[in-house]
Amino acid sequence: MEIELLRAGVENAGEIHAMQLEAFRELLDRYQDFETSPGCEKVEKVEARLRQDFTYYYFICLGAQKVGAVRVVDKKEEGINKRISPIFILPQFQGQGIAQRAIQICEEIHGAAGWELDTILQEKKNCYLYEKMGYVTTGKTRVVNDRLTLVFYEK
């Protein structure tokens, strides 16, 4: 399975946005998180992020097919962690190790140490993925609603 990251630009905002809505639809339905879910963001927010000089959006490609995307926030400043927010894989490609390989490639590109991210505490598969990759909980959580709590990780 050949996974590659392809750098995206502002011209790709609509495509990333459509993929993001599809990838997060089930979680949005389950947790009703209309405050923080990427599944209800407007395309303008994706476009604004793409314009940030410290944001790196990558399409996650399986061969020639785009199967997801990842945003890396890397301010390239000493003592400031890099951040993954968000990463997503289209539903039909989930569970194949694609996200794991994409994160490994991000770490190869941007450096292996000094990372942070957050995920849904109730999504045990996500927590397991990050912990398997060496991320540890910071002890910080944030209750979004009565169904969903965010848990924060670092590496």
Side-chain angles (χ1 to χ4, degrees):
M1 172 171 56
E2 185 62 31
I3 304 298
E4 293 182 295
L5 299 185
L6 175 64
R7 181 84 186 263
V10 175
E11 68 279 4
N12 302 115
E15 185 177 6
I16 291 170
H17 181 255
M19 293 173 73
Q20 179 175 299
L21 294 184
E22 181 180 348
F24 283 98
R25 182 176 300 123
E26 181 185 333
L27 293 175
L28 181 62
D29 291 345
R30 183 178 313 143
Y31 296 108
Q32 300 292 299
D33 171 21
F34 302 106
E35 178 189 339
T36 66
S37 175
C40 63
E41 286 181 353
K42 303 284 187 216
V43 69
E44 291 82 9
K45 188 164 187 176
V46 174
E47 192 173 306
R49 287 180 180 145
L50 279 160
R51 293 185 190 284
Q52 296 170 330
D53 61 358
F54 52 83
T55 284
Y56 301 81
Y57 258 107
Y58 301 97
F59 285 109
I60 301 168
C61 301
L62 177 59
Q65 186 168 15
K66 295 173 183 169
V67 298
V70 58
R71 174 182 174 235
V72 174
V73 176
D74 185 356
K75 296 189 177 181
K76 300 185 184 300
E77 294 179 33
E78 189 67 34
I80 306 272
N81 281 345
K82 297 167 284 269
R83 180 167 179 74
I84 294 174
S85 178
I87 182 169
F88 56 88
I89 306 297
L90 293 172
Q92 63 269 34
F93 297 100
Q94 293 175 5
Q96 299 179 33
I98 296 169
Q100 180 176 338
R101 182 64 189 127
I103 292 170
Q104 290 169 338
I105 297 169
C106 288
E107 292 175 354
E108 291 167 11
I109 294 169
H110 294 275
W115 287 89
E116 63 184 46
L117 55 83
D118 60 78
T119 194
I120 300 170
L121 179 64
Q122 291 82 358
E123 289 296 312
K124 297 304 178 196
K125 290 187 301 185
N126 291 357
C127 296
Y128 175 75
L129 165 67
Y130 299 130
E131 291 167 12
K132 178 172 70 168
M133 296 189 68
Y135 287 79
V136 294
T137 59
T138 65
K140 178 182 170 191
T141 58
R142 181 165 75 100
V143 175
V144 175
N145 62 35
D146 61 348
R147 298 179 178 139
L148 183 148
T149 300
L150 293 176
V151 60
F152 294 80
Y153 285 89
E154 63 185 5
K155 181 178 185 180

